[in-house]
Amino acid sequence: MVEPRPVPGPGLAYTAHRPEYLLNVRCEHLSAFPEQPEHFVNWLRVTQTESCHFSFCSRQSYGRYLQQLISQVLEWPSSNGIRCQWHNQAAKSIRVLPGGRSAVVALSTGTEIHSDYVVMALGNFPPPPPTRHDLRYLRHPTYHGNPWTPGTLRSIGLDETVLLIGTGLTAIDVLLGLRADGHRGQITVVSGHGRWPAAHPEQEATYPSFYEAELAGRTRVAEVLRAIRRHVQLAQQQGISWQAVIDSLRPDLGRIWAAWPQPEQARFLRHVAGIWSVVRHRSPPQNAAAVQEMLDFGLVRLEQGRVQAIEPDADDLVVTVRKAQQPARQLVARHVITCTGPLLDYSRVEDAVVAGLRNEGHLVPDGLRLGIQTDEHGALLTAQGQASAVLFTLGPSRRPANFESTAVPELRKQAVALAQELGRRLLDDAQTR
């Protein structure tokens, strides 16, 4: 395991020591093991870590949970004798050896690891710049391109003005962090669609799946949307929330996405992805209530429009915003924070490992710029369209195949399937030697 962070396991999402950052999924659905759905809940009970309001716990608690699981893997061999070694440094390159059956991973200290299989679990990359021209603002000390950089919020004075770009879950986290720090200055949030993530209902409900009966094999976005709208109406007539209808489709979202030809997938991204993100990736009810309170008291002001330019002006930043068919307007703030979500386009990722594999033709971004082209097991497809025998990936990089590929329920399913596939290949390798 190659991981440069000081503690393996929590990664970036669950590292911050901020109790106000809550998980966006109920703890009942966050077990690390699909076959043990109560594992995380039982861990909370045994460790008495915290009481989870409406079943939404802090991310730092989940980080401790993952850290403990990883430490067990590192300290003791597994039942099949496999041992795990942690290299506390970064990888700077992956070189596929002639024949394509093994690779060498070069680390920042010069160490080289020869391996038959390499799994790239790279997670998310920081958001791309919100504008592509006049990039002087990227070097301005009060522009924050990555809201997760340690110390970002603590560098903001309590009375200084702040402008957030985006109204997704990341923006909600930033708002709650600023509130917890006692921030008093005006906060402006700019969004193209002007919508906040929907809230989870306080009580979770269920709705029967209608995928096999109505959605399997549907090749048009409009057909799927019509069926979903019909079931939302049926659910409401029964006193069931629309959220339950969406959640009933979660196990099959990958199959729905894969059934669409690429033009239909592109149509979804153009016309539906924005509202889908609002209804699918929801906020804990207490978070939604806190943001609404900040809006009601005027601490936060929402401005609808798209950012056209960001220009330094002494200690401040001037943000030009334009809404369709309206004149552009300029907003001034001391701090600007990009909260638009991670960079998905692997043709623009500058990470040395990614760039090296891309240049050698071992890693190919997909046509919709959502991630990496892979086969059904997560093996990288080469520039010639062949599945690599050594390079694999999982997580957000597999969005082209699954679209929904960022939350724990989807990631653990991928991880188990990939572990089983590599286990079979290792066994085959051992039997043929």
Side-chain angles (χ1 to χ4, degrees):
M1 181 172 64
V2 176
E3 171 56 73
R5 295 186 178 93
V7 176
L12 184 61
Y14 310 115
T15 300
H17 298 294
R18 302 193 70 115
E20 66 272 14
Y21 288 174
L22 301 182
L23 295 162
N24 296 311
V25 178
R26 284 184 164 89
C27 58
E28 294 88 347
H29 305 299
L30 290 174
S31 167
F33 308 103
E35 73 281 6
Q36 301 178 53
E38 300 295 316
H39 193 272
F40 178 50
V41 174
N42 290 336
W43 180 87
L44 286 169
R45 189 178 298 118
V46 170
T47 59
Q48 297 180 336
T49 303
E50 63 175 296
S51 60
C52 304
H53 194 42
F54 296 132
S55 294
F56 293 95
C57 299
S58 69
R59 291 187 202 169
Q60 63 181 7
S61 292
Y62 197 66
R64 287 193 290 269
Y65 168 67
L66 296 178
Q67 181 182 344
Q68 186 177 97
L69 293 177
I70 292 296
S71 67
Q72 293 171 356
V73 173
L74 292 173
E75 291 173 11
W76 300 293
S78 64
S79 58
N80 59 11
I82 287 181
R83 293 180 178 272
C84 182
Q85 180 181 359
W86 170 33
H87 295 267
N88 186 205
Q89 49 191 296
K92 65 178 184 180
S93 69
I94 300 174
R95 186 173 78 256
V96 178
L97 297 181
R101 305 298 301 182
S102 60
V104 176
V105 180
L107 306 185
S108 56
T109 59
T111 300
E112 291 190 339
I113 303 173
H114 291 250
S115 183
D116 297 315
Y117 301 100
V118 177
V119 177
M120 299 167 59
L122 302 178
N124 286 314
F125 292 94
T131 69
R132 293 198 182 188
H133 60 276
D134 192 3
L135 299 178
R136 291 177 297 147
Y137 67 91
L138 296 179
R139 298 186 295 273
H140 196 276
T142 62
Y143 172 75
H144 309 283
N146 183 359
W148 303 113
T149 300
T152 292
L153 299 190
R154 299 282 161 77
S155 70
I156 298 173
L158 298 184
D159 295 300
E160 293 179 331
T161 53
V162 180
L163 185 144
L164 309 185
I165 303 175
T167 52
L169 294 172
T170 298
I172 291 180
D173 285 337
V174 171
L175 290 177
L176 295 179
L178 289 171
R179 188 176 82 152
D181 291 344
H183 184 265
R184 300 180 295 261
Q186 179 66 55
I187 303 173
T188 302
V189 183
V190 177
S191 167
H193 53 64
R195 304 185 189 97
W196 297 95
H200 286 281
E202 294 184 3
Q203 298 295 325
E204 192 171 30
T206 59
Y207 188 82
S209 172
F210 52 98
Y211 171 77
E212 292 292 346
E214 299 187 40
L215 300 181
R218 296 286 185 180
T219 59
R220 297 187 61 194
V221 174
E223 295 173 331
V224 174
L225 292 181
R226 279 196 295 269
I228 293 174
R229 290 192 184 103
R230 183 168 62 252
H231 279 276
V232 166
Q233 293 175 347
L234 290 173
Q236 290 176 336
Q237 293 169 6
Q238 303 170 52
I240 300 174
S241 68
W242 62 263
Q243 291 96 326
V245 177
I246 301 298
D247 292 343
S248 73
L249 297 174
R250 184 162 187 171
D252 304 301
L253 291 175
R255 292 196 288 176
I256 293 172
W257 170 260
W260 293 336
Q262 191 173 98
E264 284 295 297
Q265 291 177 344
R267 188 189 309 276
F268 174 86
L269 294 176
R270 285 195 307 272
H271 302 296
V272 186
I275 187 65
W276 175 254
S277 180
V278 168
V279 302
R280 166 67 185 83
H281 300 284
R282 297 179 216 124
S283 179
Q286 57 267 53
N287 283 8
V291 171
Q292 188 59 54
E293 182 180 276
M294 296 175 76
L295 288 164
D296 292 342
F297 280 94
L299 301 173
V300 174
R301 184 178 70 241
L302 179 62
E303 291 276 352
Q304 190 172 351
R306 299 192 179 278
V307 174
Q308 303 291 307
I310 303 175
E311 298 173 287
D313 182 17
D315 293 335
D316 295 328
L317 290 162
V318 179
V319 181
T320 302
V321 178
R322 184 167 187 174
K323 188 178 178 180
Q325 300 179 340
Q326 293 185 10
R329 58 197 186 279
Q330 292 187 325
L331 308 174
V332 180
R334 177 59 53 89
H335 294 266
V336 172
I337 307 176
T338 296
C339 305
T340 52
L343 173 62
L344 306 175
D345 183 356
Y346 270 72
S347 69
R348 297 172 60 190
V349 171
E350 297 178 356
D351 175 81
V353 169
V354 171
L357 291 174
R358 187 176 61 219
N359 294 338
E360 293 294 326
H362 296 297
L363 181 154
V364 181
D366 73 298
L368 297 177
R369 297 296 187 255
L370 293 175
I372 301 174
Q373 292 190 30
T374 65
D375 73 357
E376 68 274 18
H377 302 299
L380 271 62
L381 298 183
T382 67
Q384 293 74 39
Q386 298 176 331
S388 173
V390 61
L391 299 177
F392 296 81
T393 190
L394 76 166
S397 56
R398 292 197 66 189
R399 280 173 60 95
N402 304 300
F403 189 68
E404 292 287 341
S405 191
T406 55
V408 168
E410 287 76 33
L411 299 189
R412 68 187 178 195
K413 182 178 179 181
Q414 289 182 26
V416 168
L418 182 53
Q420 291 172 342
E421 176 63 23
L422 294 181
R424 285 191 290 268
R425 298 190 186 201
L426 287 167
L427 184 59
D428 290 344
D429 291 344
Q431 291 174 344
T432 56
R433 287 173 181 170

